[in-house]
Amino acid sequence: MQTHYNPSAKKGRLSLSINQDLLDRLEPYKQQLNFSAQAELLLARMLEELENRTWAERNTEALAQHGVDIAGTGLAGAEFERI
């Protein structure tokens, strides 16, 4: 499952409090970094992880039953396995 978002959507504002030591250490690299773009990537990854976890929790029973079914009948096409 992959999180998709519209990268050309209107930008919103977010206020953050960042550790001052971290900001001081990043200062020399400010011209090399696009903090907004990096934050968007990080938030998109975080969202994907949260959505995947939620999906897995919602489907725990079905996934367990699927495992039981595979254990009982084997994988589809396993009879064609070549050594």
Side-chain angles (χ1 to χ4, degrees):
M1 184 180 295
Q2 187 175 22
T3 301
H4 296 282
Y5 69 100
N6 180 356
S8 61
K10 179 183 152 196
K11 301 289 183 182
R13 290 203 166 272
L14 174 66
S15 176
L16 299 172
S17 296
I18 306 294
N19 177 288
Q20 188 61 51
D21 183 52
L22 182 59
L23 289 174
D24 292 343
R25 291 178 60 196
L26 282 167
E27 182 66 30
Y29 306 103
K30 259 179 32 178
Q31 299 305 315
Q32 299 172 37
L33 298 171
N34 180 335
F35 291 114
S36 294
Q38 292 301 312
E40 285 180 2
L41 290 173
L42 176 62
L43 292 171
R45 279 188 236 130
M46 289 170 48
L47 179 59
E48 181 178 0
E49 183 178 318
L50 290 167
E51 288 177 340
N52 287 344
R53 188 178 308 140
T54 301
W55 180 89
E57 289 169 359
R58 226 181 21 246
N59 291 286
T60 298
E61 285 185 40
L63 292 168
Q65 184 57 50
H66 184 61
V68 169
D69 293 345
I70 289 173
T73 62
L75 291 171
E79 67 272 18
F80 302 111
E81 184 178 337
R82 296 179 188 192
I83 297 176

